[in-house]
C-alpha cells in the first residue's frame, strides 16, 4: 500500500504529469490522485498499527515509507 500511495502521490505532481502525459491533468483528477494516495498511506499505517501497536507500527511505517521512496542523488 505504501508504494501504491507514493505512486499516486507522485502522479499528482505537475512535473510527473508533464513527463508522463505531456500535459497537466485536470484539477479534479489531481485531487483524486492525492486523495487516493492519502487513503493508501493511511491504510498502510492502520494495518501496521493494528498488527504491531503504536510504537512498533509507526517505526515500521516509517521504514516502509523510506523503502518506497527513490534513492537520493
Amino acid at each position: 500500500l505504501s508504494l501504491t500511495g507514493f505512486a499516486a502521490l507522485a502522479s499528482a505532481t505537475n512535473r510527473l504529469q508533464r513527463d508522463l502525459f505531456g500535459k497537466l491533468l485536470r484539477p479534479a483528477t489531481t485531487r483524486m490522485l492525492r486523495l487516493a494516495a492519502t487513503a493508501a498511506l493511511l491504510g498502510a499505517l492502520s494495518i501496521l498499527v493494528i498488527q504491531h501497536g503504536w510504537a512498533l507500527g509507526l517505526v515500521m511505517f516509517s521504514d516502509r515509507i523510506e523503502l518506497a521512496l527513490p534513492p537520493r542523488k
Side-chain angles (χ1 to χ4, degrees):
L1 279 175
S2 297
L3 186 58
T4 302
F6 273 107
L9 195 58
S11 298
T13 63
N14 292 341
R15 179 180 174 189
L16 193 61
Q17 289 176 9
R18 277 191 228 104
D19 290 347
L20 288 177
F21 310 114
K23 62 178 183 165
L24 293 178
L25 299 176
R26 294 179 309 146
T29 305
T30 300
R31 279 192 299 276
M32 290 304 293
L33 284 168
R34 289 181 182 152
L35 182 62
T38 302
L41 290 171
L42 285 175
L45 175 61
S46 299
I47 290 169
L48 289 170
V49 167
I50 288 168
Q51 288 180 348
H52 303 286
W54 276 105
L56 187 57
L58 290 174
V59 170
M60 291 178 75
F61 181 70
S62 65
D63 285 344
R64 302 252 193 283
I65 286 176
E66 192 169 325
L67 290 173
L69 293 174
R72 295 182 186 179
K73 293 181 181 180

